[in-house]
Amino acid sequence: MTVRSYEKLAGVFVVGAALAIFVFTISIGIEQGWFVKKLEFVANVPQVEGVYPGTRVQIGGLRIGRIDTIKLQEDGRFLVYFKIFEKYSKHFTNKTEIGFIRPYIIGERVLDVTPDETGELIADGSEVKFVEHFDILDTFNGKKIGPYMENMQALLENVRFLAEAFADRRRSEDVVEIFDNMKPLIINANRATKMLEEMASQMTNKKNLKKLVSNLAVTTTAINTSITELVTFTKQLPALGEHSTEVMKNLTVLTLHMNELVPTIQAIAPELPSASKKALRALEEALVVLKAMQKSFVLSGSVAEVREEEEKIRVEEEKRKISSEKEKDE
């Protein structure tokens, strides 16, 4: 009887333990959402360091699902499949963004969802846009810090080279001399800037620049017109060449005739002054006679009166010349 009592007690204990485990399992399943319908989405991410199947998916700290599977693609990127509870599916639209964050500086990464309900809802199995988020611990990642260290090493090598170069006293003196020579250059540049400013103010004063441009446009138009006339003249050059040939022939004939007249002109050259004077006197006499004839017809004058009038006119002209010369001298 005693043995059977212990066996019954042990059986009750085992059944109770099994029942407790069952209840505990059911409660965990309910808490984990094992019995709730889920929707699956996918994201294309560049790297999954610190992420694994089971990583939490959250919205503002609220757990809504977990990562289910991670697959490597041929291009080196990863497809992350995650499942969420159906009641949160209304937050997944074509404008929703997701990204990996670390809630605390030290801790596991989670897949954070940034919902945007202004877009259109997406179906189960759709891809969600992935956005990179800054992670301070990623700065110490070997893959990222490696290139930085290489660049730092190259920078230090350049600094060392410069230090060795400036260790030479002559180079240091050259650098100092360059800085000394920069002062006159800066002064001249300042003067040039002021002169340019004055020129600009003068050009813009009273719209002088506008007038200059207008005059330039008029000049350009005139030049274009001149070019057109020059082109027309150029087209006429062949005809002018033909006429110039005839002109040259006529000049040749005229030159031959002039050569024949030269001896005759040389023979009468000594008598030309006296002949010219006689011709001039004859013209004067003819003028006097004409004036006398005019007076005889109109005023009944004579040749003597005409001569006297001519003499008076000549005397008056001489007086005027003398007075004008005196005024110039004064």
Side-chain angles (χ1 to χ4, degrees), residues 118-290:
T118 60
E120 298 179 358
L121 292 175
I122 56 178
D124 183 16
S126 301
E127 182 177 350
V128 184
K129 183 180 178 181
F130 180 81
V131 179
E132 286 279 2
H133 293 292
F134 174 74
D135 189 349
I136 190 170
L137 293 181
D138 284 344
T139 58
F140 300 101
N141 191 321
K143 291 182 179 179
K144 294 184 177 180
I145 202 171
Y148 296 153
M149 296 303 297
E150 291 178 359
N151 295 334
M152 184 65 69
Q153 183 179 0
L155 178 61
L156 293 176
E157 288 291 333
N158 294 333
V159 172
R160 183 181 65 80
F161 174 77
L162 290 174
E164 292 177 354
F166 283 103
D168 188 355
R169 182 178 180 82
R170 291 180 301 174
R171 292 186 176 179
S172 300
E173 292 176 352
D174 292 339
V175 172
V176 173
E177 184 178 359
I178 289 172
F179 281 102
D180 291 338
N181 294 331
M182 286 178 65
K183 183 176 180 180
L185 177 63
I186 295 173
I187 294 173
N188 294 332
N190 188 23
R191 292 176 181 174
T193 304
K194 291 181 178 179
M195 294 176 66
L196 287 173
E197 183 180 0
E198 292 177 358
M199 291 175 61
S201 61
Q202 292 176 1
M203 293 178 68
T204 55
N205 186 22
K206 295 181 181 180
K207 298 181 179 180
N208 290 330
L209 182 61
K210 182 178 179 180
K211 295 178 182 178
L212 177 62
V213 174
S214 301
N215 295 333
L216 183 61
V218 173
T219 304
T220 305
T221 304
I223 291 173
N224 291 333
T225 305
S226 301
I227 291 173
T228 304
E229 295 177 354
L230 183 61
V231 171
T232 304
F233 175 74
T234 306
K235 293 180 180 179
Q236 295 176 355
L237 282 177
L240 291 175
E242 295 177 359
H243 292 297
S244 62
T245 304
E246 296 179 358
V247 171
M248 292 300 294
K249 290 180 181 179
N250 294 332
L251 285 175
T252 303
V253 175
L254 180 60
T255 304
L256 293 175
H257 290 294
M258 289 296 293
N259 290 332
E260 294 178 356
L261 290 173
V262 168
T264 305
I265 294 172
Q266 289 177 352
I268 65 173
E271 298 178 359
L272 285 176
S274 59
S276 300
K277 290 179 180 180
K278 290 179 181 180
L280 183 59
R281 290 174 184 173
L283 289 174
E284 290 178 354
E285 292 294 334
L287 182 60
V288 171
V289 172
L290 289 174

Side-chain angles (χ1 to χ4, degrees), residues 16-88:
L19 183 61
I21 292 173
F22 178 76
V23 172
F24 180 75
T25 303
I26 295 298
S27 63
I28 291 177
I30 294 173
E31 183 180 355
Q32 296 293 327
W34 293 347
F35 309 106
V36 179
K37 184 179 180 181
K38 302 180 184 64
L39 299 180
E40 186 179 56
F41 297 100
V42 64
N44 191 339
V45 302
Q47 54 87 19
V48 290
E49 293 179 1
V51 181
Y52 51 86
T55 297
R56 187 174 61 179
V57 180
Q58 66 178 25
I59 296 179
L62 175 65
R63 179 176 176 274
I64 64 170
R66 67 183 183 85
I67 294 177
D68 185 54
T69 309
I70 299 175
K71 294 183 179 180
L72 176 64
Q73 300 183 91
E74 294 181 356
D75 58 356
R77 296 177 66 89
F78 298 87
L79 288 178
V80 177
Y81 295 89
F82 60 96
K83 293 181 179 182
I84 64 165
F85 302 138
E86 184 181 15
K87 62 181 179 179
Y88 299 110

